[in-house]
Amino acid sequence: MDLEFTTEQVMFKDMAKEFAIREVQPYVKQWDRDCKMPHEVFKKLGEQGLLGIKAPVEYGGLDLDWLTLGLVTEQLAYYDFSLGMGSCSRTSLGIMPIAQNGSAEQKKKYLPGMIQGVLTHCFATVEPDAGSDAMAIKTTAVLDGDEYVINGNKTWITNANLANYAMVVCQTDKSKGSKGLAVIIVDWGTPGFSRAPIENKMAFRHHDHGQLFFRDCRVPKTNQLGGFGMRAAFSNVEHTRFGIACAAVGAIQACLDLSVKYCQERIQFKKPIGSFQLVQEKIADMVIDLEASRWIAYRLGYLKDKNVNVAKETSIGKYHNMEALSRCAKAAVELHGSYGLSDEYPLERIYRDCMAPIIYGGTAHVHKLVLGRLELGIDSVSR
Ligand SMILES: Cc1cc2nc3c(=O)[nH]c(=O)nc-3n(C[C@H](O)[C@H](O)[C@H](O)COP(=O)(O)OP(=O)(O)OC[C@H]3O[C@@H](n4cnc5c(N)ncnc54)[C@H](O)[C@@H]3O)c2cc1C
């Protein structure tokens, strides 16, 4: 594995850092307090080319490598974990499903706007009774002539209330089990499609999450995205898990940097608290978590760019880096004493925010089950 970044990778990393210092750091505390952020941030990310990193050139993208996207995600997440994820998910679950599985017409309709940050997607799998068990989804899409008729509810969907279009995972034929799954695009404004926000959240407070409702919602058959089955429905979720692993690295680095500074400056018992061995142990643990997480994430990006199967590495990255972040965020809040609880420092926000991607993108338990299955050859949840 070549550990040197290319000039281009360094350029994008620096560009993302400058963007975050200018457009995110001064405002993120207020966004979190207000539970909303200006949507123009995504337009500005688009203007810098930061939303088109993996998108095809012919639609305005840059068609670069996964590692570049990972480095950009890490830099944004250093200042706002949730924005790092929001930005990365536009690629992983907004652009990639269409770039990889979409028809020429779908690509033309959605990709340029997504790359520019003027269109917003949502990708809807989860339902009130189907979370980790995605096969339990009840939303149906039944063919009637040249149209699909969609019925069902989705919940906890990122961008539910902002999306110009929803990619909805539906069951087209229950008797076919996983082979009947399909993703169907539903534009906002289609009769029978409504939505509602989920409010008062612990984490990712300035991002939109909500419920989607489909009642005899008719869309042309040509709105189907790709074919049928698990791969057609979920292959892009893997890219989001890579983003989570990279975003965690940025947030851990922030926890460490803030803690080092504070422990050098805060005086107790007439000494900087950083001189106490128990405090040094916490810093040492954070350094180890950071280094391990960083190499797991970068290696995952490197392997993704080699187009090899990364199921195992993706689950390791998603699981390990989020657990590491949750340890580091807790340690950083603790090291700041009572100040760690105040939003004058970003730590309490990182501490809260890290709970969101511990749950989405497959829970910690689910990724352990994946790793167990890959190693043992036994599926613990086979039906
Ligand atoms: C901020 C946020 C954004 C989200 N965005 C989206 C989105 O854009 N699109 C979308 O479709 N969904 C989205 N989700 C939903 C998310 O994917 C689900 O919350 C997640 O898959 C877990 O499902 P659940 O919440 O129903 O928990 P459940 O599946 O009910 O799990 C509850 C607990 O049981 C455990 N558990 C379940 N099954 C097993 C098992 N077999 N063995 C051991 N433990 C098990 C879980 O690990 C967990 O601890 C989002 C969620 C959040 C929090």
Side-chain angles (χ1 to χ4, degrees), residues 123-126 131-132 156-158 209 356 359-361 363 365 369 381:
F123 194 96
T125 304
V126 165
S132 302
W156 275 103
I157 307 307
T158 303
H209 300 95
I359 292 166
Y360 76 65
T363 66
H365 299 139
L369 295 182
V381 290

Side-chain angles (χ1 to χ4, degrees), residues 30-45:
Q30 199 57 48
W31 295 345
D32 186 65
R33 283 183 180 176
D34 295 346
C35 295
K36 63 171 189 257
M37 67 186 285
H39 209 57
E40 284 67 45
V41 174
F42 288 104
K43 221 171 127 194
K44 290 179 182 172
L45 278 164

Side-chain angles (χ1 to χ4, degrees), residues 24 34 73 100 110 186 193 196 199 203 213 235 247 257 264 351:
V24 181
D34 295 346
T73 304
Q100 289 183 332
Y110 299 109
V186 187
F193 175 16
E199 285 164 343
F213 310 103
S235 61
D257 290 352
Q264 287 168 338
Y351 183 72

Side-chain angles (χ1 to χ4, degrees), residues 89 93 121-134 154-160 167 169 201 203-204 207-210 234 237 241 353 355-367 369 380-381:
S89 298
L93 284 176
H121 76 290
C122 69
F123 194 96
T125 304
V126 165
E127 301 182 357
D129 297 323
S132 302
D133 184 5
K154 299 287 179 182
T155 193
W156 275 103
I157 307 307
T158 303
N159 294 334
M167 288 170 271
V169 181
K201 296 162 294 188
F204 281 30
H207 291 263
D208 173 59
H209 300 95
F234 301 128
V237 178
R241 293 169 179 160
D353 277 351
M355 279 315 292
I358 282 179
I359 292 166
Y360 76 65
T363 66
H365 299 139
V366 164
H367 285 287
L369 295 182
S380 70
V381 290

Side-chain angles (χ1 to χ4, degrees), residues 303-380:
L303 291 174
K304 280 173 82 63
D305 286 320
K306 296 257 170 260
N307 273 325
V308 295
N309 183 334
V310 287
K312 176 174 150 187
E313 289 77 8
T314 301
S315 277
I316 292 173
K318 201 277 179 182
Y319 172 79
H320 174 275
N321 289 13
M322 284 315 303
E323 294 298 305
L325 173 57
S326 113
R327 284 192 292 274
C328 292
K330 178 171 180 282
V333 169
E334 239 181 310
L335 287 173
H336 282 69
S338 51
Y339 297 102
L341 274 63
S342 158
D343 75 359
E344 289 309 313
Y345 291 89
L347 294 166
E348 60 85 35
R349 176 167 42 82
I350 298 175
Y351 183 72
R352 284 186 283 109
D353 277 351
C354 79
M355 279 315 292
I358 282 179
I359 292 166
Y360 76 65
T363 66
H365 299 139
V366 164
H367 285 287
K368 283 200 159 172
L369 295 182
V370 170
L371 291 169
R373 171 171 52 78
L374 291 173
E375 213 56 32
L376 292 162
I378 304 169
D379 189 346
S380 70

